[in-house]
């Protein structure tokens, strides 16, 4: 029962955090571009895995905090896609599937298990988490580049989906991305964006590891309402009691 409550609590918090910060880039297939999607998604997704790394590793010596957090996120995303987008709004799954980050999370866990050091995990695992994001999702994106014939014209599967499910602003967004400055790096904008995301992921890992440490500290607060209710204050422990 405790495990189920923990799973649902992390799923809710991580899913809300991810949807607020990475929203449209992960909602729609045609927003999964080679620049902002590759940059933003790993940076937002490494937060909860870093915080859970501290809790699971420092408190219980369990090396699967990152994989557990990502599985919670993907479970929440699929519930959102199925009930909110597919059942409620009739969008096909080919237009709304969420990205996967499980390979990067496994690398984070393995580095922490082998080194036992959060600094090396941030440097090696953080970069690996960002660099593995694009290739891990490429098998799902590749099918959209296959050619097909529609009304005696050859188009890609992605183009045909765009013609069928027209949404405003998407074509303008893609034209803006394809003319971005990263296209000058030999056309390999995805890898340039991935290395930048890896650098930021290192910093985010440090910040959220420290946040996980702060949130697990036990702090007691004196009950001031006891005096208002006519009760006596808690006696302060003597120096001899503290020494014992």
């Amino acid at each position: 029962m405790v495990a189920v409550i923990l799973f649902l609590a992390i799923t809710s918090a991580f899913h809300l955090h991810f949807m607020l910060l990475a929203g449209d880039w992960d909602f729609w297939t045609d927003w999964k571009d080679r620049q902002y999607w590759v940059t933003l998604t790993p940076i937002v997704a490494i937060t909860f895995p870093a915080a859970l790394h501290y809790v699971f590793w420092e408190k219980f010596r369990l090396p699967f905090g990152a994989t557990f957090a990502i599985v919670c996120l993907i479970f929440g995303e699929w519930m959102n896609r199925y009930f909110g987008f597919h059942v409620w709004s009739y969008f096909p799954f080919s237009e709304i599937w969420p990205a996967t980050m499980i390979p990067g999370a496994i690398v984070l866990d393995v580095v922490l298990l082998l080194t036992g050091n959060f600094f090396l995990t941030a440097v090696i695992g953080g970069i690996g988490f960002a660099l593995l994001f694009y290739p891990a999702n490429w098998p799902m994106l590749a099918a959209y580049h296959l050619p097909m014939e529609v009304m005696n014209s050859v188009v890609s599967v992605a183009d045909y989906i765009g013609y069928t499910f027209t949404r405003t602003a998407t074509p303008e967004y893609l034209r803006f991305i394809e003319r971005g400055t990263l296209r000058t790096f030999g056309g390999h904008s995805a890898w340039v964006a991935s290395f930048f995301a890896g650098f930021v992921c290192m910093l985010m890992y440090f910040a959220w590891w420290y946040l996980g440490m702060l949130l697990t500290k036990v702090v007691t607060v004196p009950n001031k309402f006891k005096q208002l209710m006519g009760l006596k204050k808690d006696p302060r422990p003597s120096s001899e009691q503290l020494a014992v």
Side-chain angles (χ1 to χ4, degrees), residues 34-35 38-39 127-128 130-136 138 182 185 187-198:
R34 291 178 288 184
Q35 186 171 319
V38 178
T39 305
I127 294 178
L131 291 181
L132 284 173
F133 175 71
Y134 190 64
W138 179 246
L182 288 183
F185 288 89
H188 303 295
S189 54
W191 293 111
V192 178
S194 294
F195 275 102
F196 176 74

Side-chain angles (χ1 to χ4, degrees), residues 66-67 70 100-110 125 128-130 132-133 136:
T67 304
I70 294 299
T100 182
M101 288 148 278
I102 288 181
I106 293 175
V107 168
L108 267 179
D109 288 338
V110 169
F129 185 82
L132 284 173
F133 175 71

Side-chain angles (χ1 to χ4, degrees), residues 16 43 52 70 74 78 80 91 97 113 128 131-132 205 220:
L16 178 63
I43 294 174
L52 288 186
I70 294 299
I74 292 177
W78 272 111
N80 171 265
F91 279 103
W97 53 269
L113 176 64
L131 291 181
L132 284 173
Y205 187 91
T220 57

Side-chain angles (χ1 to χ4, degrees), residues 80-126:
N80 171 265
R81 298 302 196 284
Y82 180 74
F83 292 105
F85 286 72
H86 183 67
V87 174
W88 186 266
S89 303
Y90 307 111
F91 279 103
F93 288 118
S94 58
E95 181 75 352
I96 56 174
W97 53 269
T100 182
M101 288 148 278
I102 288 181
I106 293 175
V107 168
L108 267 179
D109 288 338
V110 169
V111 173
L112 180 65
L113 176 64
L114 295 179
T115 64
N117 185 296
F118 86 98
F119 181 82
L120 293 177
T121 306
V123 175
I124 302 173

